[in-house]
Amino acid sequence: MREANQRTLPWGRPRYELALLALVAAVALFPVPGGNPQDISRACLAEALTHGHLSNDTCLQGSVDYATRNGHLYSDKAPGLSIVEIPVVTAFDALPFRSGLDWRLWLMRISTVGLALIGCAFLVGRVLEGLHPGVGSLGIVVFGLGTLAGSLAQVSFEHLPAALATFGAFLLAWRNRPLAAGLAAGAGLLVEYESGIALTVIAAYVALRGIPSLTRYAVGVLPGVVALGSYNWAAFGAPWHLSYHYVAASFAGAQGQGLFGISAPTLHGFAAVLAGNGGLLFVSPVLALAALGLIRFGREHRAEALVAGTITALLVISDAGYFLPYGGSSPGPRFVAPALPFLLLGLAEAFRTRPRLTLRLAALSVVTATLVSLSWTSGVAVMRNTVWAELFRAPFERSSNHLVRAIPPSVFGSSAAGKWIEVAVVLFGALAAFMLARKALPPRPTPVRPTPRRLVRAAVTVALVAAIDTCAVLGYPSGNGYQPRHSPFNVGVSASPTTSYVGGEVNYRVDVTNESDVVLLSDVILTLTFAPGMHLVGAPKLLSGIGCTGDTIVRCRLDYLAPKQPTTVWFGLQFSDPGVHRLLARASSNGFDGPSATVFDVPVGS
């Protein structure tokens, strides 16, 4: 009888469930950032599908997320989320996205990733309520507002739909519904390739019930596998050819190394995933207790705890080995996001054994994650020494503060008044959700005697959180996840010819290289300063990037530079005065200047 109870899915309805889900949706989806490369790549595929095509050359031109084959441009993403976006893209003719507030873009997001956020929060709350009555409400708030999940709902990332599919598959398998579990797991694979990790682990879990259950699970997985294989065959020539094989643009070289850019995990990778500017344990310190709680959860639910722990560990390890642990512009290690619902299964035990510490770390998680969600989508420089350091600077810097400048538009628009309303709504909504979840908690949690072992665990947890926060603020050991401690640029300038005359022209070449072995440099800007008598001839040509503006001081936005990635800018200058004409070239990333400017002189005769 005990074994039967262990394999019964715990399920309950948290108090204030609907109100909490509504608050989570309001706080997470109130900001409306502009079009992101993730939005564009997926919407371009959705638009192509509505016309019976798979490539979309016009739409994907200028994007940084695309694949190429036979001279045509394709989305470099798995097709599942684009398929879900088809109704909105078709009904509202969504592309191209407009600058500023675009309701079509907002509707596309809330009808896909927004619903996935609410679905995951619902499942987490129901299971935690079944495990420990009263904790389900806290689980809804912690998942939706105390982790990176809320931030990821603001853009068309695939991780929340993948989390909903794989966590749903696990719960269905737990409930002994292998066919339905397979259907959900197959849908997850169609949405995100990395869902294959969870699909495989859940298959091993289903196999514990016998070969017939595993067979039904495999039959359920089959439609998703066939759909993905058919798409790959039509777009890339074979069912096993994933779009990652054909990635172009900025990251083609790095993503071609290892397994689609994943190699052995590194110290820098683990530091970024856990303790960087958006690291899991920096943004959500309550996850440290949830991980310990997952161990205790395994005493009664050993197989389920092994599934949750294995999926979490594998996703963390693979992300720590990826050449971009944060996957480009994102709030943090987004590839680990599908593991969050699994990891939060330990929250019930964490609260039962350490209720006060769990509640305090949950509050800290909600505050930090809310600040991240208000700042990460902007093109403003990365937060200097984390959002907490920026918040401390805000009263002194006011409108020039990075955190203040980074607040994205909301449903009230992008005006100053609209942004202040947005901040008030988001902060008040997060506070209301946390207080409501706290009210739903058991008034007197079951007391647990503070044995020396438990006291040591609590002390170690607090010390770990303090150490991680310190490392994140100081950017130690190798930066904060986005920005290295020193901008490792190498800027080289060459010219042809190397001398000229009044009225003559010289063709310049500037090579900019990210010398870091591990850190992506984002928002890279090359600043070119011309001496008097030097005049730009035509527009500069960029190997990669967005474009250049200016005349005597030219700023070229180069976008991203992956580790060890070079890029080049070409331009011509004409001379109107004799003498030695000096060019200064300097690169910066997220507002942080690289080494001293590179100087190049050209003698000009009369």
Side-chain angles (χ1 to χ4, degrees):
M1 179 65 68
R2 183 181 180 186
E3 178 63 23
N5 289 336
Q6 287 176 336
R7 298 304 297 272
T8 300
L9 175 67
W11 195 257
R13 182 173 182 175
R15 293 179 64 190
Y16 315 119
E17 182 182 48
L18 291 178
L20 289 172
L21 291 174
L23 285 169
V24 167
V27 172
L29 302 175
F30 202 74
V32 190
N36 183 281
Q38 300 282 334
D39 298 303
I40 296 170
S41 184
R42 292 188 170 86
C44 288
L45 175 55
E47 183 185 61
L49 290 171
T50 64
H51 294 93
H53 304 294
L54 298 179
S55 63
N56 198 334
D57 299 340
T58 302
C59 182
L60 288 167
Q61 280 185 345
S63 173
V64 297
D65 282 334
Y66 65 88
T68 60
R69 181 174 180 265
N70 294 336
H72 292 287
L73 305 184
Y74 298 82
S75 171
D76 61 351
K77 313 298 180 185
L81 188 53
S82 295
I83 295 172
V84 178
E85 291 175 348
I86 287 176
V88 174
V89 171
T90 303
F92 296 97
D93 193 21
L95 291 167
F97 298 128
R98 292 189 292 263
S99 60
L101 178 61
D102 191 332
W103 291 101
R104 305 166 305 163
L105 176 59
W106 187 65
L107 287 172
M108 188 182 78
R109 289 167 174 166
I110 66 173
S111 62
T112 53
V113 291
L115 289 179
L117 171 71
I118 300 307
C120 285
F122 169 81
L123 293 179
V124 169
R126 286 290 177 114
V127 176
L128 287 178
E129 189 69 17
L131 288 171
H132 191 85
V135 180
S137 301
L138 183 64
I140 291 174
V141 174
V142 168
F143 176 82
L145 303 180
T147 68
L148 295 173
S151 297
L152 292 173
Q154 296 176 2
V155 172
S156 299
F157 287 118
E158 74 273 26
H159 312 299
L160 291 179
L164 178 61
T166 54
F167 189 61
F170 170 59
L171 298 186
L172 287 167
W174 193 347
R175 197 180 176 188
N176 197 20
R177 298 290 188 272
L179 180 62
L183 287 169
L189 185 64
L190 189 62
V191 169
E192 183 182 50
Y193 302 133
E194 290 85 351
S195 295
I197 293 174
L199 185 154
T200 304
V201 176
I202 294 171
Y205 172 70
V206 171
L208 296 176
R209 295 185 185 268
I211 297 301
S213 292
L214 182 59
T215 301
R216 289 194 290 272
Y217 177 78
V219 170
V221 169
L222 193 59
V225 174
V226 170
L228 179 59
S230 299
Y231 169 78
N232 291 338
W233 199 347
F236 304 111
W240 52 87
H241 285 183
L242 303 182
S243 57
Y244 285 168
H245 277 294
Y246 303 91
V247 168
S250 304
F251 305 133
Q255 201 152 12
Q257 300 174 4
L259 180 62
F260 302 125
I262 301 175
S263 302
T266 63
L267 175 62
H268 163 77
F270 281 116
V273 170
L274 298 177
N277 206 28
L280 290 180
L281 299 184
F282 167 71
V283 174
S284 310
V286 72
L287 293 180
L289 281 180
L292 292 176
L294 197 61
I295 297 174
R296 295 184 60 87
F297 168 74
R299 296 179 181 179
E300 292 294 327
H301 303 276
R302 180 174 299 177
E304 290 73 23
L306 280 173
V307 170
T310 301
I311 290 173
T312 301
L314 289 176
L315 288 176
V316 168
I317 291 171
S318 64
D319 199 11
Y322 191 52
F323 75 101
L324 296 178
Y326 287 7
S329 179
S330 80
R334 55 188 178 91
F335 299 109
V336 186
L340 292 174
F342 294 92
L343 184 55
L344 283 176
L345 289 176
L347 189 64
E349 283 294 329
F351 181 79
R352 191 181 72 82
T353 56
R354 306 297 308 179
R356 293 182 180 177
L357 182 59
T358 301
L359 197 60
R360 289 167 182 167
L361 290 184
L364 180 59
S365 300
V366 170
V367 174
T368 307
T370 301
L371 291 174
V372 170
S373 72
L374 278 172
S375 61
W376 81 268
T377 57
S378 174
V380 175
V382 167
M383 302 298 106
R384 298 161 296 181
N385 308 106
T386 77
V387 291
W388 284 108
E390 292 294 347
L391 185 64
F392 177 79
R393 294 186 180 103
F396 308 99
E397 297 178 339
R398 299 184 181 182
S399 60
S400 64
N401 180 257
H402 285 191
L403 182 59
V404 173
R405 292 169 53 211
I407 298 171
S410 71
V411 294
F412 288 107
S414 57
S415 65
K419 288 189 175 184
W420 282 115
I421 295 175
E422 173 189 359
V423 171
V425 169
V426 169
L427 295 182
F428 177 78
L431 176 62
F434 182 79
M435 296 306 295
L436 202 58
R438 182 178 181 181
K439 184 179 179 181
L441 290 171
R444 292 183 180 181
T446 304
V448 178
R449 188 173 62 181
T451 62
R453 179 180 295 180
R454 292 194 178 103
L455 290 174
V456 169
R457 287 176 182 170
V460 169
T461 302
V462 173
L464 176 64
V465 171
I468 285 173
D469 284 355
T470 302
C471 288
V473 170
L474 297 179
Y476 183 85
S478 56
N480 61 19
Y482 287 112
Q483 187 67 38
R485 301 186 74 184
H486 307 286
S487 294
F489 286 111
N490 181 9
V491 180
V493 181
S494 58
S496 178
T498 56
T499 62
S500 188
Y501 52 89
V502 174
E505 294 183 16
V506 170
N507 295 316
Y508 285 81
R509 170 176 174 153
V510 179
D511 296 295
V512 182
T513 304
N514 175 7
E515 293 292 334
S516 172
D517 293 320
V518 293
V519 178
L520 164 78
L521 297 176
S522 59
D523 192 22
V524 177
I525 295 177
L526 172 66
T527 302
L528 304 170
T529 304
F530 306 145
M534 304 172 73
H535 308 282
L536 192 63
V537 180
K541 179 182 177 182
L542 279 65
L543 178 63
S544 63
I546 298 172
C548 301
T549 59
D551 187 4
T552 56
I553 298 179
V554 175
R555 291 181 174 86
C556 297
R557 294 187 60 190
L558 307 182
D559 208 6
Y560 302 103
L561 283 182
K564 293 300 182 183
Q565 178 188 348
T567 191
T568 304
V569 177
W570 297 271
F571 56 93
L573 291 178
Q574 188 176 52
F575 304 94
S576 59
D577 300 314
V580 176
H581 288 66
R582 173 161 293 182
L583 167 72
L584 301 179
R586 186 166 196 164
S588 65
S589 171
N590 289 300
F592 295 86
D593 286 332
S596 57
T598 299
V599 178
F600 193 89
D601 293 333
V602 172
V604 177
S606 56

